[in-house]
Amino acid sequence: VGLLDIDICGPSIPKMLGLEGQEIHQSNIGWSPVYVESNLGVMSIGFMLPNPDEAVIWRGPRKNGLIKQFLKEVYWGELDFLVVDAPPGTSDEHISIVQFLQATGIDGAVIVTTPQQVSLIDVRKEVSFCKKVGVEVLGVVENMSGLSQPLPEFKFMRMTETGEQKDMTEWAMAYMREK
């Protein structure tokens, strides 16, 4: 699997995968992606920045050029899947990646969102974009929408007026079940 981060101005994949500080290498067959495991290679402009807090201030043609370079000059080896992480919205990166990959037969798009209304506004635009350019929407994933965590060793404590800690776990659990 290849993971291509085309969020040129806000590359987050190196951080999310714990790959900060890694570098890509150039060889006679192209750029080598950074590998998380032997079956997951990653390419991002984030690996090229001297400082992760460095701003990338590029306009369309320069972004498009880098995306084309990533597609043509990265030696992925044989891939079963290429996952492309794009920034929110429907900007240059989205248009470029669809144009560059259209001839290869794009399987579709999985749109990732968060439950906030502002994020859902972007999702509706991204779905509309996909329809207009002929890319099937395979699904929408709502990230950060909930958490299920077992609490077997978790304790709720309250400080009394005398400074002692009182175990409130049973009361808190009953309250959560009720509400």
Side-chain angles (χ1 to χ4, degrees):
V1 175
L3 176 55
L4 177 57
D5 183 0
I6 63 165
D7 191 347
I8 307 300
C9 295
S12 57
I13 294 297
K15 174 74 170 175
M16 289 172 33
L17 295 179
L19 299 173
E20 288 178 294
Q22 298 288 321
E23 295 179 1
I24 54 175
H25 301 282
Q26 180 100 27
S27 71
N28 59 346
I29 56 174
W31 287 342
S32 297
V34 173
Y35 283 89
V36 179
E37 297 285 335
S38 62
N39 62 352
L40 177 59
V42 180
M43 181 54 69
S44 172
I45 193 175
F47 299 130
M48 301 171 167
L49 301 176
N51 175 344
D53 295 329
E54 185 103 4
V56 178
I57 306 170
W58 289 4
R59 289 188 179 218
R62 195 148 179 214
K63 289 183 194 180
N64 297 344
L66 182 62
I67 292 169
K68 189 180 248 181
Q69 242 183 318
F70 280 165
L71 291 171
K72 286 186 166 193
E73 297 179 21
V74 173
Y75 180 70
W76 297 100
E78 192 171 321
L79 290 177
D80 294 320
F81 298 99
L82 177 63
V83 178
V84 179
D85 179 53
T90 56
S91 61
D92 290 328
E93 293 90 339
H94 303 84
I95 296 166
S96 294
I97 200 71
V98 168
Q99 286 176 343
F100 296 148
L101 291 179
Q102 203 121 45
T104 67
I106 301 170
D107 291 327
V110 175
I111 299 171
V112 180
T113 184
T114 57
Q116 294 80 17
Q117 286 298 313
V118 72
S119 184
L120 297 174
I121 291 167
D122 282 343
V123 165
R124 286 192 287 278
K125 290 176 184 170
E126 289 161 7
V127 168
S128 172
F129 171 85
C130 288
K131 285 180 183 174
K132 288 180 180 181
V133 298
V135 173
E136 181 182 355
V137 176
L138 301 174
V140 177
V141 175
E142 187 176 72
N143 201 4
M144 299 182 218
S145 63
L147 173 66
S148 176
Q149 179 69 39
L151 301 173
E153 296 177 22
F154 199 84
K155 293 202 180 298
F156 292 86
M157 306 300 283
R158 180 177 69 111
M159 190 74 73
T160 65
E161 291 177 14
T162 61
E164 296 177 50
Q165 289 192 1
K166 181 177 178 184
D167 188 339
M168 301 294 294
T169 305
E170 285 184 39
W171 174 86
M173 297 298 279
Y175 183 84
M176 285 191 289
R177 278 189 208 95
E178 179 186 325
K179 301 293 180 190

